[in-house]
Amino acid sequence: MSKADQIIASNARGSRSRRKSGFLGQRGRVALLTLTMLLMLFVFFTQPDVRAAFESWASLITG
C-alpha cells in the first residue's frame, strides 16, 4: 500500500467516526435543546404582558 493509499484510508475512517458521533453526540444535542427551550420559556414567561395573558387564559379553563 502506498503512502497516498494509507492517507486516504485513514481519512475515510476518521471522517466516518466523526460523522457517527458528531460534535456533541446525541445526549449533548438533547441537553443543548432542552436548555435552550428552558431559557426561552423563562424569558417568555417573565414578561409581564405574557404572564397577564396566560393568567386570563388559565382562568377561562379553571373557571
Side-chain angles (χ1 to χ4, degrees), residues 1-55:
M1 183 181 277
S2 71
K3 187 69 172 174
D5 291 336
Q6 291 175 351
I7 292 171
I8 292 170
S10 68
N11 284 344
R13 279 194 303 269
S15 66
R16 257 184 271 139
S17 65
R18 260 182 278 151
R19 202 175 323 122
K20 185 178 174 184
S21 63
F23 178 68
L24 291 173
Q26 186 67 24
R27 287 185 182 167
R29 280 191 222 117
V30 170
L32 184 62
L33 180 63
T34 303
L35 290 172
T36 304
M37 290 301 297
L38 287 172
L39 178 63
M40 289 174 64
L41 287 172
F42 174 76
V43 169
F44 184 72
F45 281 112
T46 53
Q47 303 299 315
D49 54 339
V50 174
R51 289 180 65 192
F54 183 75
E55 287 170 2

